[in-house]
Amino acid sequence: MFKEYKHLEIEKLTNEIIIYWEKKNFFKKKKKKDIYIIYEGPPSSNGSPGIHHILPITIKDLFCRYKTLKGKKVKRKAGWDTHGLPVELVVEKELGITKNDIGKKISIFKFNTKCKEAVMRYYNEWLKLSKKIGYWIDLEKQYFTFKTKYIETIWWLLKNFHNKNLLYKGYKIQPYSPAAGTGLSSHELNFPGGYKKITDLTIIVKFKCIKNTLPKELKKITGEIYFLTWTTTPWTLPSNTALTVGKNIDYVIISTYNPYSFLKINIILAKKLVKKVLSKNFYYVNSKKELKKIKKNKIPYLILNGFKGYKLIGSNYEQLINWFSPYKEKEKAFKIISSDIVTKKNGTGIVHISPTFGEEDFFLSKKKDIPPMLILDKNKIPVPLVDMEGKFIKETPYGFSGKYVKNEYYSDKNRPAKSVDLEIALYLKNINKVFKIEKYIHSYPHCWRTKKPILYYPLNSWFIKTSFFKEKMLKLNNSINWTPKSTGKKKFGFWLKNINDWNLSRSRFWGIPLPIWRTKKGDEERVIGSIKELINEIEKSVKEGLMSYNPLKNFIIGNMSDKNYDSIDLHKHNLDKIILISNYKKPMIRESDIIDVWFDSGAMPYAQLHYPFEKKFLIEKKIMFPADFICEGVDQTRGWFFTLHAISCMLFNSISFKNVISNGLVLDEKGKKMSKSRGNTINPFKIIKKYGPDTIRWYLISNSSPWENIKFNIKIIEKIKQKLFGTLYNVYYFFYIYAKIDNFKLKEKKILLKKRPFIDKWILSELNSLIKKTDYYYHNYEPTKVVRKIENFVIENLSNWYLRLSRKRFWKENYTTNKISAYQTLYICLSTIYKISSPIAPFVMENFYKNLNFYLKKKSFESVHLSDFPQYNIKAINKNLELKMRLAKKITSMIFSLRKKEKLKVRQPLKRALIVINTNNFKFNKFLNLLKREVNIKQIKFFSKNKLSSVTKQEIKVNYKLLGPKFGKVVTLIYKKINNLTIENIKKIETKNFLRLNINDRKICLSKTNVFISTVYLKGWSALCNYGITVAIDTTISDTLKKEGFSRELINRIQNIRKFFNYKITDKIYLYIEKSFFIDKILKLNEHFLCEETLTSELIVINHLKNGIFSFIEKNKIKILLKKKE
RNA sequence: AGUCUCGUAGCUCAGUUGGUGAGAGCGCUACACUGAUAAUGUAGAGGCCAGCGGUUCAAAUCCGCUCGAGACUACCA
């Protein structure tokens, strides 16, 4: 039932509403019309939810609620991303183990069980948050990525990729920790302390050109020519197979001497880097003669020629360290190629490429068809020159065999004095191939567990050929409505343009296993696309004796019940035991990796429906696909946004979401990222409890656009609670008080708009404009603009203006049409505000709406969330009226301002005010009474400026927009001239519509539209001019006015006493006043007015009043006594 | 290091396709108003629109560079 809160107690009402919703189950009472689909970006339930999760949740929820109001059936399935590294790391920490212990100290089964437990723990936290923040989401059919049905869809998708030849096994250079024996994800590299500044030995080496492959102008130079190349990883030099230059970078060939051997050489390097490389002992000369003067510490160099990088492309050089050669296509190696990775900042402008130990090198060599330095081992399997432990392979000559390539890999005891890098440098120096040896400080990633530097190492992985679909993905991206635009066009677009193949493999445990079985040699493989297929294959295997029994035999093929599906578990611990048989009767074992969790989440549109095993039509008839809307943080651009897009483009030739908001981040008050290490995180539950969910929701949406980062500021949250919700409460409470007195229950016929007072017409016009605007902004995914419009309407228009001016209508009159109109108007305003605000503040608005309608006994409206979004009535919108009211407000402010200047209290009535408005033909007649009452002035007159020309001055200004393009610099001269025009000349423009000017002997004719003419002030009046309005007040106060002023003072004293004694606003009183000359004077003219205002039924003036209350009006002492009339 | 986003009053933010006195709310100070009053009104203080340069008759707005914040990507040799 209706409750009268003394103050708005958000926490209390929130809890009540939560219970109310649960009891009535409104979430399920959805209307059935068009479907609106939102995909839940599965929150990875691998950690407790934080304050930053509230932002996307709020955005998602508000659009769901909005669309529901608009009559859509909103599909919003909850989903949970359950796999992945972070969960595994949590569990490792809890168990005190490392990756290497899994499968040894603890079984994979146990480990995975623990992971599942951890996930479910966080899941409960998430549920709690959803409930507390008012996130309505369908939990009944929620999906979990670890469920068998989900996995089966993923397998089906992968099989499809395989069938289309888009799934392949290859190797990719990945961060690898030899000390831990494991590959690292980029996530792990970014752990605190991952990147460390280290000092590396760097060398500049000389690659000898094969002269006849050089361009003509270089061929003719006498003597050997070398490419100078710089490297921070000398140990990769034996694996060098190419050098790269920048196409448009300027290079020079220089004749000089080797600083170690002092032998004459010709070197090639980037022009800009000459001074850096040839520093210290070198000096520049410009003749061959000077070049001959060489001393030990003074080596001359002479620039022989200059050319662009592209000239060198295709030239060959001699292998620097010829210990090994690539096992295939070696004729394509040792070539100059070009790429844009070359910069002019470091090194020599020529970059050494080792495709086996650099990610960029790898991609580049693939693109340019350069073979990697792989050799065949005993088993004829191609391997790189460094093994998995980080050692040079056995076959390496010159004592390098079996040495760790990084000194840090040795234990402290066994660490040699010379690192491999140094030894290689010395080796090259001995054979005269080094030009320079230096030290270099740079940041390098380290394994977070072993603290040792990582290697970039070729690891076997399964890939999806995403690069093949680059163009399609770019094209389809254009049809997605991104908010903000830049994320889609730039961030996402650029990312797609540089797309590489998607590495699916993860050498971990808790995830969806790759459904790929292979023979040892890798010559036969089978990709499993369904459980049915797997069971059939196992049966074959059992028949042939490869397996003793079928571990999935309890599964009933074709039975889609959850019970059947939950009876089996398709995780690694079970799947690894399965051995299948190939067509040629060879055993096949499963590829041991699991799938990148991003594939899990990108596949959610299909996997959440168990496509294509159940309800195929939902996808194929495009009922549940693509989504109308998704929303996640910008950091998901390369994450979920990409994986969704990639899978749908490649397999379904479609986008997977039509509208997307990529929201910004929630930072702390100072704009710093929230993190546990900084200690600036905020517990979402605490903050919700303290300020209420709606306050937080409103704050996050109103403060700045969702895509902007937000600095979480408690003070502003407090303000929203006070100012917006407080005002709303006040307005509601006001309505309630009087509606109760008058027993207003919305029973009367709706009063026609044209029969309502103009102030009602005005607020209804504003209201309809508001509906129109908010609907538009909601529709365009701009919630911030929605709430700002609502705030402005509630605070400025409804509360501070409409209600203030209408108060007397509720308070004074009998139950007239005017009053009913006021009630009806206020009711519709409130009810509309609640509806259009409910998506953002679901609890508070529900509470208001419920109370408003319960009081009116309109039970058909149980919940604001089941109502319809209001339709705006175009006929009710009157822009002219809105503009006039804005001016009226402005005029009121100006009059108050004048009163202040003249020290005239508002209680003191004034004789008259004059107003001049520049805009012509503006009829303010209807506003007069309203204005008069508000500013307490007896007479207000509006004048057109012409009539008042004797007392006003006209000011003239240049219309730059028109004159600027026409006259250019002359505009400033025109401005000067015009500024000094006489009043007569200004008037001439007004009457003749043009004016001739002489500027620099040039005759210029200005038309009226070329200038702005405005009125400035009135002589002899207290006046103010602003916004094209001039306002003046007559400051003379007659005796009558003075008395009336006193009477208002007296009323004020009486009202204060009434209030002090807690009289009800409807209580009538007997008023006793002690007789005095002053009192007589006041009462003479104003007695009736006074009684009316103070609900005095009888006024008694007594000579000597006992027990009265003293008060002062100016210096006059008065004594009053009030008695309530029973 | 690169890419993207952002930088307007003490704080949070507006500022349309460039058009010329740079705005609002909060906070602060003073005064007023008040039968919805922890509200409201008026006035005051507070800004080289991050900095520098350019385009233009005209720049907070467009372009370039620098500085600062954040995100993403990174052994750029």
Side-chain angles (χ1 to χ4, degrees), chain A residues 230 351 357 673 703 907 960 1055 1058 1065:
Chain A
W230 178 66
V351 177
F357 300 113
K673 197 185 173 183
N703 190 71
R907 287 201 198 98
Y960 282 98
Q1055 301 288 33
R1058 280 185 66 115
I1065 54 171

mmCIF file of all heavy atoms in Angstrom, chain A residues 230 351 357 673 703 907 960 1055 1058 1065, chain B residues 12-13 20 26 34-35 71-72 75 77:
data_model
loop_
_atom_site.group_PDB
_atom_site.id
_atom_site.type_symbol
_atom_site.label_atom_id
_atom_site.label_comp_id
_atom_site.label_asym_id
_atom_site.label_seq_id
_atom_site.Cartn_x
_atom_site.Cartn_y
_atom_site.Cartn_z
ATOM 1 N N TRP A 230 72.398 -4.873 -36.705
ATOM 2 C CA TRP A 230 72.500 -4.789 -35.241
ATOM 3 C C TRP A 230 71.579 -5.819 -34.616
ATOM 4 O O TRP A 230 70.471 -6.045 -35.108
ATOM 5 C CB TRP A 230 72.062 -3.380 -34.841
ATOM 6 C CG TRP A 230 72.048 -3.072 -33.383
ATOM 7 C CD1 TRP A 230 73.134 -3.003 -32.575
ATOM 8 C CD2 TRP A 230 70.916 -2.751 -32.581
ATOM 9 N NE1 TRP A 230 72.761 -2.643 -31.312
ATOM 10 C CE2 TRP A 230 71.409 -2.488 -31.282
ATOM 11 C CE3 TRP A 230 69.555 -2.656 -32.800
ATOM 12 C CZ2 TRP A 230 70.572 -2.140 -30.218
ATOM 13 C CZ3 TRP A 230 68.735 -2.312 -31.750
ATOM 14 C CH2 TRP A 230 69.231 -2.054 -30.471
ATOM 15 N N VAL A 351 67.786 -4.996 -40.623
ATOM 16 C CA VAL A 351 67.404 -5.853 -39.504
ATOM 17 C C VAL A 351 67.608 -7.318 -39.844
ATOM 18 O O VAL A 351 67.232 -7.784 -40.905
ATOM 19 C CB VAL A 351 65.923 -5.608 -39.124
ATOM 20 C CG1 VAL A 351 65.491 -6.542 -38.011
ATOM 21 C CG2 VAL A 351 65.733 -4.163 -38.702
ATOM 22 N N PHE A 357 62.847 -17.503 -34.153
ATOM 23 C CA PHE A 357 62.899 -16.933 -32.803
ATOM 24 C C PHE A 357 62.367 -15.511 -32.681
ATOM 25 O O PHE A 357 62.717 -14.785 -31.769
ATOM 26 C CB PHE A 357 64.333 -16.994 -32.260
ATOM 27 C CG PHE A 357 64.859 -18.386 -32.174
ATOM 28 C CD1 PHE A 357 65.903 -18.802 -32.998
ATOM 29 C CD2 PHE A 357 64.297 -19.299 -31.304
ATOM 30 C CE1 PHE A 357 66.376 -20.100 -32.936
ATOM 31 C CE2 PHE A 357 64.774 -20.601 -31.239
ATOM 32 C CZ PHE A 357 65.820 -21.013 -32.063
ATOM 33 N N LYS A 673 43.816 3.636 -12.756
ATOM 34 C CA LYS A 673 43.157 2.352 -12.908
ATOM 35 C C LYS A 673 42.995 1.703 -11.532
ATOM 36 O O LYS A 673 43.880 1.788 -10.700
ATOM 37 C CB LYS A 673 44.019 1.464 -13.793
ATOM 38 C CG LYS A 673 43.295 0.285 -14.361
ATOM 39 C CD LYS A 673 44.233 -0.604 -15.119
ATOM 40 C CE LYS A 673 43.507 -1.865 -15.528
ATOM 41 N NZ LYS A 673 44.387 -2.801 -16.200
ATOM 42 N N ASN A 703 26.919 10.554 -15.678
ATOM 43 C CA ASN A 703 28.148 11.321 -15.526
ATOM 44 C C ASN A 703 28.838 11.594 -16.855
ATOM 45 O O ASN A 703 29.256 12.703 -17.136
ATOM 46 C CB ASN A 703 29.101 10.603 -14.590
ATOM 47 C CG ASN A 703 30.262 11.478 -14.228
ATOM 48 O OD1 ASN A 703 30.134 12.439 -13.494
ATOM 49 N ND2 ASN A 703 31.413 11.183 -14.792
ATOM 50 N N ARG A 907 8.974 40.407 -1.009
ATOM 51 C CA ARG A 907 7.675 40.603 -0.335
ATOM 52 C C ARG A 907 7.088 41.990 -0.579
ATOM 53 O O ARG A 907 5.910 42.204 -0.431
ATOM 54 C CB ARG A 907 7.829 40.399 1.174
ATOM 55 C CG ARG A 907 8.000 38.965 1.561
ATOM 56 C CD ARG A 907 7.651 38.720 3.002
ATOM 57 N NE ARG A 907 8.214 37.467 3.420
ATOM 58 C CZ ARG A 907 9.352 37.336 4.079
ATOM 59 N NH1 ARG A 907 10.036 38.407 4.430
ATOM 60 N NH2 ARG A 907 9.806 36.161 4.399
ATOM 61 N N TYR A 960 28.920 37.994 -38.586
ATOM 62 C CA TYR A 960 30.168 37.500 -39.176
ATOM 63 C C TYR A 960 29.943 36.374 -40.170
ATOM 64 O O TYR A 960 30.639 36.248 -41.156
ATOM 65 C CB TYR A 960 31.092 37.009 -38.072
ATOM 66 C CG TYR A 960 31.802 38.127 -37.346
ATOM 67 C CD1 TYR A 960 31.339 38.619 -36.148
ATOM 68 C CD2 TYR A 960 32.950 38.680 -37.890
ATOM 69 C CE1 TYR A 960 31.997 39.638 -35.478
ATOM 70 C CE2 TYR A 960 33.620 39.703 -37.235
ATOM 71 C CZ TYR A 960 33.142 40.178 -36.033
ATOM 72 O OH TYR A 960 33.799 41.175 -35.396
ATOM 73 N N GLN A 1055 2.667 32.442 9.245
ATOM 74 C CA GLN A 1055 2.934 31.122 8.670
ATOM 75 C C GLN A 1055 4.046 30.410 9.432
ATOM 76 O O GLN A 1055 3.981 29.206 9.665
ATOM 77 C CB GLN A 1055 3.356 31.245 7.193
ATOM 78 C CG GLN A 1055 2.366 31.913 6.288
ATOM 79 C CD GLN A 1055 1.144 31.088 5.992
ATOM 80 O OE1 GLN A 1055 0.692 30.309 6.845
ATOM 81 N NE2 GLN A 1055 0.575 31.265 4.812
ATOM 82 N N ARG A 1058 2.561 29.017 12.522
ATOM 83 C CA ARG A 1058 1.762 27.820 12.173
ATOM 84 C C ARG A 1058 2.659 26.606 12.020
ATOM 85 O O ARG A 1058 2.397 25.529 12.536
ATOM 86 C CB ARG A 1058 1.033 28.046 10.836
ATOM 87 C CG ARG A 1058 -0.225 28.858 10.902
ATOM 88 C CD ARG A 1058 -0.871 28.863 9.528
ATOM 89 N NE ARG A 1058 -1.321 27.517 9.169
ATOM 90 C CZ ARG A 1058 -2.593 27.197 9.003
ATOM 91 N NH1 ARG A 1058 -3.531 28.104 9.130
ATOM 92 N NH2 ARG A 1058 -2.931 25.970 8.696
ATOM 93 N N ILE A 1065 -1.713 21.749 7.175
ATOM 94 C CA ILE A 1065 -1.880 22.820 6.203
ATOM 95 C C ILE A 1065 -3.343 23.159 5.977
ATOM 96 O O ILE A 1065 -3.667 24.209 5.460
ATOM 97 C CB ILE A 1065 -1.219 22.478 4.853
ATOM 98 C CG1 ILE A 1065 -1.728 21.149 4.333
ATOM 99 C CG2 ILE A 1065 0.279 22.452 4.971
ATOM 100 C CD1 ILE A 1065 -1.285 20.881 2.930
ATOM 101 P P U B 12 37.017 15.735 -11.905
ATOM 102 O OP1 U B 12 37.554 14.358 -11.875
ATOM 103 O OP2 U B 12 37.645 16.764 -12.760
ATOM 104 O "O5'" U B 12 35.476 15.652 -12.273
ATOM 105 C "C5'" U B 12 34.648 14.654 -11.672
ATOM 106 C "C4'" U B 12 33.249 14.767 -12.224
ATOM 107 O "O4'" U B 12 32.679 16.041 -11.806
ATOM 108 C "C3'" U B 12 33.146 14.823 -13.738
ATOM 109 O "O3'" U B 12 33.239 13.528 -14.304
ATOM 110 C "C2'" U B 12 31.792 15.466 -13.928
ATOM 111 O "O2'" U B 12 30.753 14.551 -13.723
ATOM 112 C "C1'" U B 12 31.773 16.499 -12.802
ATOM 113 N N1 U B 12 32.209 17.835 -13.258
ATOM 114 C C2 U B 12 31.251 18.653 -13.828
ATOM 115 O O2 U B 12 30.098 18.316 -13.962
ATOM 116 N N3 U B 12 31.712 19.879 -14.242
ATOM 117 C C4 U B 12 32.999 20.365 -14.148
ATOM 118 O O4 U B 12 33.255 21.478 -14.561
ATOM 119 C C5 U B 12 33.933 19.454 -13.551
ATOM 120 C C6 U B 12 33.518 18.246 -13.140
ATOM 121 P P C B 13 33.653 13.391 -15.831
ATOM 122 O OP1 C B 13 33.341 12.019 -16.238
ATOM 123 O OP2 C B 13 35.002 13.929 -16.014
ATOM 124 O "O5'" C B 13 32.588 14.386 -16.453
ATOM 125 C "C5'" C B 13 32.427 14.603 -17.806
ATOM 126 C "C4'" C B 13 31.181 15.445 -17.936
ATOM 127 O "O4'" C B 13 31.221 16.545 -16.999
ATOM 128 C "C3'" C B 13 31.006 16.126 -19.271
ATOM 129 O "O3'" C B 13 30.443 15.230 -20.209
ATOM 130 C "C2'" C B 13 30.068 17.274 -18.933
ATOM 131 O "O2'" C B 13 28.746 16.832 -18.811
ATOM 132 C "C1'" C B 13 30.583 17.680 -17.546
ATOM 133 N N1 C B 13 31.558 18.788 -17.588
ATOM 134 C C2 C B 13 31.088 20.079 -17.860
ATOM 135 O O2 C B 13 29.884 20.248 -18.068
ATOM 136 N N3 C B 13 31.978 21.103 -17.902
ATOM 137 C C4 C B 13 33.260 20.887 -17.678
ATOM 138 N N4 C B 13 34.087 21.921 -17.719
ATOM 139 C C5 C B 13 33.764 19.582 -17.405
ATOM 140 C C6 C B 13 32.887 18.569 -17.370
ATOM 141 P P U B 20 29.401 33.672 -32.729
ATOM 142 O OP1 U B 20 29.124 32.376 -32.095
ATOM 143 O OP2 U B 20 28.314 34.606 -33.018
ATOM 144 O "O5'" U B 20 30.518 34.430 -31.888
ATOM 145 C "C5'" U B 20 31.582 33.674 -31.280
ATOM 146 C "C4'" U B 20 32.794 34.559 -31.126
ATOM 147 O "O4'" U B 20 33.496 34.671 -32.384
ATOM 148 C "C3'" U B 20 32.462 35.980 -30.686
ATOM 149 O "O3'" U B 20 33.411 36.397 -29.736
ATOM 150 C "C2'" U B 20 32.640 36.800 -31.951
ATOM 151 O "O2'" U B 20 33.018 38.143 -31.741
ATOM 152 C "C1'" U B 20 33.742 36.025 -32.660
ATOM 153 N N1 U B 20 33.689 36.241 -34.088
ATOM 154 C C2 U B 20 34.656 37.048 -34.628
ATOM 155 O O2 U B 20 35.539 37.549 -33.960
ATOM 156 N N3 U B 20 34.544 37.233 -35.972
ATOM 157 C C4 U B 20 33.589 36.705 -36.798
ATOM 158 O O4 U B 20 33.623 36.953 -37.980
ATOM 159 C C5 U B 20 32.614 35.875 -36.154
ATOM 160 C C6 U B 20 32.692 35.680 -34.843
ATOM 161 P P C B 26 23.599 23.462 -8.130
ATOM 162 O OP1 C B 26 22.451 23.239 -7.230
ATOM 163 O OP2 C B 26 24.052 24.831 -8.425
ATOM 164 O "O5'" C B 26 24.842 22.629 -7.593
ATOM 165 C "C5'" C B 26 24.681 21.260 -7.217
ATOM 166 C "C4'" C B 26 26.020 20.643 -6.899
ATOM 167 O "O4'" C B 26 26.875 20.733 -8.062
ATOM 168 C "C3'" C B 26 26.818 21.345 -5.812
ATOM 169 O "O3'" C B 26 26.377 20.970 -4.523
ATOM 170 C "C2'" C B 26 28.228 20.867 -6.113
ATOM 171 O "O2'" C B 26 28.433 19.550 -5.652
ATOM 172 C "C1'" C B 26 28.231 20.879 -7.638
ATOM 173 N N1 C B 26 28.770 22.152 -8.185
ATOM 174 C C2 C B 26 30.161 22.334 -8.167
ATOM 175 O O2 C B 26 30.889 21.431 -7.711
ATOM 176 N N3 C B 26 30.686 23.487 -8.651
ATOM 177 C C4 C B 26 29.864 24.430 -9.133
ATOM 178 N N4 C B 26 30.418 25.541 -9.599
ATOM 179 C C5 C B 26 28.455 24.259 -9.164
ATOM 180 C C6 C B 26 27.952 23.113 -8.680
ATOM 181 P P U B 34 8.651 34.477 1.622
ATOM 182 O OP1 U B 34 7.347 35.094 1.391
ATOM 183 O OP2 U B 34 9.469 34.848 2.800
ATOM 184 O "O5'" U B 34 8.472 32.904 1.669
ATOM 185 C "C5'" U B 34 7.887 32.219 0.564
ATOM 186 C "C4'" U B 34 8.204 30.765 0.685
ATOM 187 O "O4'" U B 34 9.635 30.584 0.706
ATOM 188 C "C3'" U B 34 7.755 30.108 1.973
ATOM 189 O "O3'" U B 34 6.382 29.781 1.926
ATOM 190 C "C2'" U B 34 8.635 28.871 2.002
ATOM 191 O "O2'" U B 34 8.155 27.876 1.148
ATOM 192 C "C1'" U B 34 9.952 29.419 1.436
ATOM 193 N N1 U B 34 10.935 29.764 2.485
ATOM 194 C C2 U B 34 11.723 28.724 2.949
ATOM 195 O O2 U B 34 11.618 27.582 2.537
ATOM 196 N N3 U B 34 12.613 29.073 3.926
ATOM 197 C C4 U B 34 12.798 30.316 4.471
ATOM 198 O O4 U B 34 13.645 30.465 5.348
ATOM 199 C C5 U B 34 11.947 31.345 3.930
ATOM 200 C C6 U B 34 11.066 31.035 2.983
ATOM 201 P P G B 35 5.551 29.767 3.258
ATOM 202 O OP1 G B 35 4.435 30.708 3.097
ATOM 203 O OP2 G B 35 6.500 29.861 4.384
ATOM 204 O "O5'" G B 35 4.920 28.312 3.260
ATOM 205 C "C5'" G B 35 5.749 27.179 3.234
ATOM 206 C "C4'" G B 35 4.894 25.949 3.296
ATOM 207 O "O4'" G B 35 4.020 26.030 4.437
ATOM 208 C "C3'" G B 35 3.992 25.775 2.094
ATOM 209 O "O3'" G B 35 3.851 24.374 1.856
ATOM 210 C "C2'" G B 35 2.654 26.320 2.540
ATOM 211 O "O2'" G B 35 1.547 25.691 1.908
ATOM 212 C "C1'" G B 35 2.686 25.920 4.009
ATOM 213 N N9 G B 35 1.890 26.803 4.832
ATOM 214 C C8 G B 35 1.959 28.159 4.956
ATOM 215 N N7 G B 35 1.100 28.646 5.799
ATOM 216 C C5 G B 35 0.420 27.524 6.268
ATOM 217 C C6 G B 35 -0.629 27.425 7.176
ATOM 218 O O6 G B 35 -1.191 28.328 7.786
ATOM 219 N N1 G B 35 -1.020 26.109 7.347
ATOM 220 C C2 G B 35 -0.469 25.030 6.720
ATOM 221 N N2 G B 35 -0.978 23.858 7.013
ATOM 222 N N3 G B 35 0.518 25.113 5.861
ATOM 223 C C4 G B 35 0.899 26.391 5.679
ATOM 224 P P A B 71 45.258 1.521 -18.082
ATOM 225 O OP1 A B 71 44.897 0.520 -17.061
ATOM 226 O OP2 A B 71 46.676 1.844 -18.331
ATOM 227 O "O5'" A B 71 44.609 1.093 -19.472
ATOM 228 C "C5'" A B 71 43.317 0.498 -19.497
ATOM 229 C "C4'" A B 71 42.862 0.346 -20.924
ATOM 230 O "O4'" A B 71 43.057 1.593 -21.622
ATOM 231 C "C3'" A B 71 43.655 -0.665 -21.746
ATOM 232 O "O3'" A B 71 43.205 -1.982 -21.516
ATOM 233 C "C2'" A B 71 43.376 -0.184 -23.158
ATOM 234 O "O2'" A B 71 42.088 -0.548 -23.583
ATOM 235 C "C1'" A B 71 43.428 1.333 -22.967
ATOM 236 N N9 A B 71 44.781 1.864 -23.189
ATOM 237 C C8 A B 71 45.703 2.261 -22.244
ATOM 238 N N7 A B 71 46.829 2.702 -22.760
ATOM 239 C C5 A B 71 46.631 2.592 -24.129
ATOM 240 C C6 A B 71 47.454 2.902 -25.227
ATOM 241 N N6 A B 71 48.686 3.405 -25.122
ATOM 242 N N1 A B 71 46.959 2.658 -26.462
ATOM 243 C C2 A B 71 45.721 2.155 -26.578
ATOM 244 N N3 A B 71 44.849 1.828 -25.622
ATOM 245 C C4 A B 71 45.371 2.080 -24.403
ATOM 246 P P C B 72 44.260 -3.142 -21.464
ATOM 247 O OP1 C B 72 43.569 -4.324 -20.921
ATOM 248 O OP2 C B 72 45.505 -2.658 -20.844
ATOM 249 O "O5'" C B 72 44.550 -3.384 -23.015
ATOM 250 C "C5'" C B 72 43.516 -3.856 -23.873
ATOM 251 C "C4'" C B 72 43.899 -3.624 -25.303
ATOM 252 O "O4'" C B 72 44.234 -2.224 -25.491
ATOM 253 C "C3'" C B 72 45.156 -4.351 -25.769
ATOM 254 O "O3'" C B 72 44.899 -5.703 -26.104
ATOM 255 C "C2'" C B 72 45.567 -3.515 -26.971
ATOM 256 O "O2'" C B 72 44.757 -3.797 -28.095
ATOM 257 C "C1'" C B 72 45.249 -2.105 -26.476
ATOM 258 N N1 C B 72 46.425 -1.449 -25.875
ATOM 259 C C2 C B 72 47.381 -0.882 -26.730
ATOM 260 O O2 C B 72 47.190 -0.960 -27.952
ATOM 261 N N3 C B 72 48.467 -0.274 -26.200
ATOM 262 C C4 C B 72 48.626 -0.203 -24.884
ATOM 263 N N4 C B 72 49.711 0.406 -24.416
ATOM 264 C C5 C B 72 47.676 -0.781 -23.984
ATOM 265 C C6 C B 72 46.606 -1.385 -24.511
ATOM 266 P P C B 75 56.700 -9.592 -28.030
ATOM 267 O OP1 C B 75 57.171 -10.590 -28.984
ATOM 268 O OP2 C B 75 55.690 -9.916 -27.006
ATOM 269 O "O5'" C B 75 57.938 -8.976 -27.273
ATOM 270 C "C5'" C B 75 58.703 -7.963 -27.861
ATOM 271 C "C4'" C B 75 59.888 -7.694 -27.003
ATOM 272 O "O4'" C B 75 60.552 -8.941 -26.724
ATOM 273 C "C3'" C B 75 60.846 -6.781 -27.745
ATOM 274 O "O3'" C B 75 61.167 -5.646 -26.937
ATOM 275 C "C2'" C B 75 62.054 -7.617 -28.039
ATOM 276 O "O2'" C B 75 63.218 -7.008 -27.595
ATOM 277 C "C1'" C B 75 61.851 -8.934 -27.240
ATOM 278 N N1 C B 75 62.012 -10.080 -28.147
ATOM 279 C C2 C B 75 63.280 -10.312 -28.698
ATOM 280 O O2 C B 75 64.196 -9.555 -28.400
ATOM 281 N N3 C B 75 63.429 -11.336 -29.547
ATOM 282 C C4 C B 75 62.396 -12.129 -29.847
ATOM 283 N N4 C B 75 62.608 -13.130 -30.693
ATOM 284 C C5 C B 75 61.111 -11.907 -29.289
ATOM 285 C C6 C B 75 60.967 -10.888 -28.454
ATOM 286 P P A B 77 63.666 -6.014 -30.866
ATOM 287 O OP1 A B 77 63.478 -7.066 -29.881
ATOM 288 O OP2 A B 77 64.004 -4.650 -30.414
ATOM 289 O "O5'" A B 77 64.759 -6.463 -31.909
ATOM 290 C "C5'" A B 77 64.509 -7.560 -32.779
ATOM 291 C "C4'" A B 77 65.747 -7.702 -33.626
ATOM 292 O "O4'" A B 77 65.663 -6.751 -34.694
ATOM 293 C "C3'" A B 77 67.016 -7.388 -32.831
ATOM 294 O "O3'" A B 77 67.782 -8.559 -32.642
ATOM 295 C "C2'" A B 77 67.761 -6.322 -33.610
ATOM 296 O "O2'" A B 77 68.943 -6.797 -34.188
ATOM 297 C "C1'" A B 77 66.793 -5.912 -34.716
ATOM 298 N N9 A B 77 66.371 -4.516 -34.525
ATOM 299 C C8 A B 77 66.062 -3.859 -33.376
ATOM 300 N N7 A B 77 65.715 -2.623 -33.545
ATOM 301 C C5 A B 77 65.803 -2.448 -34.923
ATOM 302 C C6 A B 77 65.571 -1.360 -35.757
ATOM 303 N N6 A B 77 65.191 -0.172 -35.306
ATOM 304 N N1 A B 77 65.750 -1.517 -37.068
ATOM 305 C C2 A B 77 66.135 -2.714 -37.514
ATOM 306 N N3 A B 77 66.383 -3.824 -36.835
ATOM 307 C C4 A B 77 66.202 -3.614 -35.529
#
